[in-house]
Every structure is written in C-alpha cells, then in structure tokens.
C-alpha cells in the first residue's frame, strides 16, 4: 500500500494549501492537483520551482478536465507531471492508504 | 444624473468560485446604465482572461464569450497587471481579449481616482 494521496484544489498564489501540503509529504505520498490547484503546474509560473523541489521523490498528478477547463491543457506544464482522468483518480484513491484534501 | 466611474477589481480565478461570473454581471449592469466602467485584473484574476478555456467540461458558464463582447457594452478600459501575469508564467499573448498592461503603481493610481470600486 502506498502512503497518503494528498489532494490540493487551491492556487498557490492565493492560498498556502499547496505550500503546507509540500511540507507534509511523507515517504510514498503522492500529490494530485485538482480544480484551481492545477494552476500550480504552469511551468513558467513563479511557484513551479518550489513545486519541482517539493515533489522530488513523489508522484505528481493533475486532473485533465480541470486543466482543459482552465485553458492549460496545451500550455507548458511542470516536468514529471502525470495528467490523469476521473477513473485514474478513483484508482489512485484506492491505491493509497488515505486521501487527504488541502484547500 | 451624471455618470460615475466604476472600477471592478478582479482577483479570483474564473472557475473555483462564482466571484468572476458575478463581477462580470455587475460590470455589464453598470455599463448598461451608462456608467463609465473599468475592469482590472490582478493576482489570480488574470487567469480569467486566459485563452482556450473550456469551462463547459465542468458544466460551468463560459465567461470568454462575454469578455469578447465587452466592447458592445462600451467597456473598453480593461487593465491587466503586468506583474501578476509574469508571476504566473503568462504573457499578453496568452490572453483572449485586447487589454492594457499596467504596473502596480498605475493600478494603484487608478484605484485612487475612480468614483466607485467593487472588488472580489
């Protein structure tokens, strides 16, 4: 069983949720960006470096429909990001010990 | 009645809450009463103007269509804070409508000279 699945739904520019989440990643934990959380994945954004550093050694996912809805699907996103769909979300939740929301 | 100048200060991303849609409606109403309407986009508000959005995927309203029709409401003062764009890895080319880029000081000056400020 993997560690916790952390789910962030707020932009890192308006909320401290992602920053705090990154500070609480344990071994085997994964991070999923949903809703406004997907804005953190913009490769040229000011938060990209912090996210790349904080996610090292962990899996990073973003929900495809939330990226597409915000016009980000075709933009340059952070390296190593895995874009997933709703069924993958369910699968991820099942594969991790817990699912924890940060908002 | 003499028209007043209105500034709508948009600071929220378009989909996470109803703020963006409500502000746009309020701005259109003010304009339809022949007020002088200014729209400012700063902080996460700049995400409202990003091109290629598909809010229908989430069952949400497409604000892009309304933004593209602002001219028909005689709303042609659309200010976007340059620093907010660049902090988010965006540039003017990423935006769906023509805007005027301004720095923080210029936006502060605008806020100081306007009659009515509405912010969300």
């Amino acid at each position: 069983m993997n560690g916790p699945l952390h789910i962030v739904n707020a932009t890192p520019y308006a909320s401290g949720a992602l920053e705090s989440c990154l500070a609480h990643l344990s071994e085997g934990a994964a991070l999923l960006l949903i809703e406004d959380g997907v804005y953190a994945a913009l490769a040229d954004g000011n938060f990209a470096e912090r996210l790349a550093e904080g996610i090292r050694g962990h899996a990073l996912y973003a929900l495809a429909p939330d990226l597409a809805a915000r016009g980000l699907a075709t933009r340059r996103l952070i390296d190593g990001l895995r874009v997933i769909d709703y069924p993958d979300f369910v699968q991820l939740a099942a594969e991790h010990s817990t699912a924890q929301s940060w908002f | 009645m003499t028209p007043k100048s209105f500034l709508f200060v948009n600071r929220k991303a378009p989909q996470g809450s109803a703020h963006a849609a409500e502000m746009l409606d309020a701005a259109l109403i003010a304009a339809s009463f022949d007020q002088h309407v200014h729209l400012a986009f700063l902080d996460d508000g700049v995400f409202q103007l990003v091109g290629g959005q598909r809010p229908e995927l989430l069952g949400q309203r497409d604000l892009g269509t309304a933004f593209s029709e602002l001219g028909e409401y005689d709303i042609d003062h659309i200010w976007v804070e340059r620093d907010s764009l660049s902090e988010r890895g965006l540039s003017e080319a990423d935006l769906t409508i023509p805007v005027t880029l301004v720095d923080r000081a210029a936006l502060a000056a605008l806020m100081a000279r306007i009659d009515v400020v509405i912010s969300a």
Side-chain angles (χ1 to χ4, degrees):
Chain A
M1 189 60 123
N2 297 303
L5 175 66
H6 293 280
I7 304 168
V8 176
N9 81 337
T11 95
Y13 304 101
S15 157
L18 180 55
E19 183 71 52
S20 187
C21 173
L22 289 175
H24 293 87
L25 292 182
S26 56
E27 196 179 335
L31 171 58
L32 169 62
L33 304 172
I34 67 167
E35 302 170 8
D36 282 350
V38 301
Y39 286 120
L42 279 170
D44 297 320
N46 273 10
F47 204 82
E49 201 174 323
R50 173 73 192 96
L51 177 56
E53 176 194 302
I55 202 65
R56 202 166 291 142
H58 302 271
L60 174 63
Y61 306 93
L63 209 46
D66 287 331
L67 285 168
R70 290 163 180 76
L72 306 190
T74 56
R75 282 166 220 281
R76 206 163 74 80
L77 302 175
I78 189 169
D79 283 343
L81 178 77
R82 282 180 260 178
V83 178
I84 65 167
D85 220 317
Y86 293 119
D88 305 315
F89 187 172
V90 175
Q91 186 72 25
L92 270 183
E95 287 170 359
H96 285 79
S97 57
T98 53
Q100 180 174 346
S101 290
W102 300 75
F103 48 90
Chain B
M1 197 170 69
T2 318
K4 291 186 173 182
S5 58
F6 280 67
L7 174 63
F8 291 84
V9 179
N10 294 279
R11 294 187 51 253
K12 303 286 187 195
Q15 331 253 343
S17 69
H19 287 96
E22 300 275 341
M23 285 286 273
L24 183 56
D25 287 342
L28 295 178
I29 289 166
S32 67
F33 280 91
D34 296 326
Q35 305 300 302
H36 298 313
V37 172
H38 296 248
L39 302 183
F41 296 86
L42 61 155
D43 301 335
D44 279 350
V46 300
F47 287 135
Q48 293 181 28
L49 301 179
V50 167
Q53 296 185 52
R54 298 179 60 203
E56 74 279 6
L57 291 175
L58 306 178
Q60 295 192 6
R61 183 175 146 202
D62 179 15
L63 302 184
T65 310
F67 282 132
S68 66
E69 292 167 352
L70 289 175
E72 290 167 34
Y73 288 82
D74 292 325
I75 299 178
D76 42 21
H77 301 293
I78 302 168
W79 312 95
V80 172
E81 193 173 87
R82 188 181 285 111
D83 303 311
S84 298
L85 270 184
S86 60
E87 283 166 9
R88 287 161 182 75
L90 300 172
S91 71
E92 193 173 3
D94 291 304
L95 305 182
T96 182
I97 54 169
V99 302
T100 306
L101 293 187
V102 287
D103 60 22
R104 292 204 162 104
L107 208 47
L110 178 66
M111 290 167 178
R113 71 173 167 81
I114 215 87
D115 295 323
V116 180
V117 178
I118 297 173
S119 55

